[in-house]
Amino acid sequence: MLAVVAGIPRGKVMTYGDVAEYMGEGGARAVGGVMRRHGGSVPWHRVVLADGRPAPPHDGLAAALLVDDDTPMTPDGRRVELRRARWDGR
C-alpha cells in the first residue's frame, strides 16, 4: 500500500478508497489506518478524502503541500479538483 502512495506523481492524488480499490483489498478506513501509522515515509498528502478534501488533522499542511505540488485545487483552495488531479495508478 505504501508503495502505491509513493508512486503517486506530483500534481496527482488518489482517494483513500482509490488506494484500497487499486490494491484489491480492504477499504478506505483500512488505508487510513495504515497511513496514520506508517504514512510519514511517503507523500501522504497525495491521499485525500472522497470529496477532495485533505484529511484532518493535518489538512492545512496537506493543502499547502498539494499547492506546492501544483495539484489542481478548487478556487477556495480547500479541495483538490478530482476530475483533473485523480491518478489511476498507471
Side-chain angles (χ1 to χ4, degrees), residues 1-14 16 19 35 38-48 62 65-66 69 71 87:
M1 180 178 310
L2 294 176
V4 172
V5 175
I8 301 172
R10 287 177 54 89
K12 297 293 183 180
V13 299
M14 292 178 92
Y16 288 89
V19 174
M35 293 300 295
H38 307 289
S41 64
V42 296
W44 55 271
H45 60 284
R46 296 180 188 156
V47 181
V48 297
L65 292 169
L66 289 164
D69 280 353
T71 307
W87 188 60

Side-chain angles (χ1 to χ4, degrees), residues 11-88:
K12 297 293 183 180
V13 299
M14 292 178 92
T15 67
Y16 288 89
D18 291 341
V19 174
E21 184 177 328
Y22 185 85
M23 296 293 301
E25 60 185 67
R29 288 181 187 257
V31 172
V34 171
M35 293 300 295
R36 189 171 34 260
R37 288 188 300 279
H38 307 289
S41 64
V42 296
W44 55 271
H45 60 284
R46 296 180 188 156
V47 181
V48 297
L49 300 175
D51 65 1
R53 287 180 298 136
H58 304 294
D59 47 334
L61 174 58
L65 292 169
L66 289 164
V67 168
D68 285 346
D69 280 353
D70 293 323
T71 307
M73 303 291 285
T74 59
D76 65 6
R78 293 184 181 185
R79 296 174 196 250
V80 171
E81 287 186 23
L82 289 175
R83 194 180 89 256
R84 293 177 52 210
R86 189 176 241 152
W87 188 60
D88 64 5

